[in-house]
Amino acid sequence: MDWFRLSNEAEVASPALLIFEERVESNLRRMIEIAGDPARLRPHVKTHKLGPLVERQLALGINKFKCATIAEAEMCAQADAPDVLIAMPAVGPNVARLCKLAKKYPATRFSTLIDDAGAMQALGLAAVKAGLTLDVFLDLDCGQNRTGIKPGNEALELYRQATTTAGLKVAGLHAYDGHIHEADLTKRRALYETAFGPVLAFRQQLESAGLAVPVLVAGGTPTFPFHAEQTDRQCSPGTTVLWDFGYADKHVDMPFLPAALLLARVVSKPGANRLCLDLGHKSVAAENPHPRVRFIELPDAPAISQSEEHLVIETPRAAEFSVGDTLHGIPRHVCPTVALYNEATVVRGGAAVGTWPIARARRLTV
């Protein structure tokens, strides 16, 4: 039987997100192999949002995590993760929520990012009021121009201020190079080196000024192999856990397996060469142009139209499929696709064996 087919597929309602446990395990072990030591990894959980996958990583020796939301941070804490970095500046009501989170889960060391003096002071005041000391990383903009402060004198002064801000403890530097995703390995490496030259020079500047830099958290998925070559930083790949065809097509140098599939069914046959599937915008991430999903059975079938609940594809092989037949698709972008589902169907040994809840909400209990 093909690896993607389930022996009890008739019992799984579609559309469904399938997580293949054995493939996840393979990807996790490859991450550790590339990093050289699980202690060097701080995987981003935004890709999967699954507490059981956090627990599995803990069992493999990975004990540090990165996330994007307070809900994801709480999911990690509920899985007994000891160290969680929220890679999003805390502003507005989220400042109080972060303090509440830290009080509710004292066994977990929470940290967040700073890149603004005013926001940093507000965070420190809230921490003092809550009777807490919160770890903070100075977020450096190494070229993505999204969050972070450019390395230099202004950043040094902010770092220095953070070291004396009541309620805060400086944990080090954070630099995410998500703008680097060239397919050509040589070009990708050159861009990585250009982006991180100023980061490393800034770390030296801080240390020369007598300011300690305990940790550098660096990179994402496309540059993971480059950062892993250096032993002076923590690596933060995310998509590597589940993989998708967007990265698989572009980064053929990375040895990961698609571990998350979308199960869809033919619901109608609107023409001799067309199939209508129950996989609309609400079931697969729609921020990219088509193809948003690649079906293993029909990898070359183009999308003709997609609406909230329907996807129409065209194929000369349409006659081979009947209404009710299943297709299995690899998403182009797995992270926002996972966020569309309340639960994932777990596949083990070629069969669906249960479900895992997905922490897709912006709020769990905090």
Side-chain angles (χ1 to χ4, degrees), residues 180-193 221-227 229 249-255:
I180 301 173
H181 42 70
E182 272 60 28
D184 182 270
L185 187 61
T186 301
K187 291 180 180 178
R188 198 185 331 147
R189 181 181 287 276
L191 289 172
Y192 146 78
E193 292 173 349
T221 294
T223 57
F224 169 42
F226 309 146
H227 288 293
E229 294 170 354
D249 285 1
K250 184 172 282 190
H251 305 312
V252 296
D253 55 291
M254 302 188 73

Side-chain angles (χ1 to χ4, degrees), residues 43-115:
H44 207 312
V45 305
K46 71 180 179 68
T47 295
H48 58 82
K49 303 175 187 287
L50 291 166
L53 289 195
V54 173
E55 292 171 352
R56 182 57 196 146
Q57 290 174 81
L58 287 167
L60 291 173
I62 300 170
N63 58 17
K64 295 177 288 294
F65 300 89
K66 189 162 85 168
C67 63
T69 69
I70 288 177
E72 292 171 359
E74 184 171 11
M75 174 201 74
C76 291
Q78 290 174 346
D80 295 328
D83 187 336
V84 180
L85 165 60
I86 304 173
M88 176 73 75
V91 297
N94 280 346
V95 173
R97 290 181 66 204
L98 175 57
C99 291
K100 184 177 180 181
L101 182 74
K103 297 274 281 188
K104 184 171 182 177
Y105 299 95
T108 297
R109 174 190 177 193
F110 295 101
S111 55
T112 189
L113 304 182
I114 56 168
D115 67 2

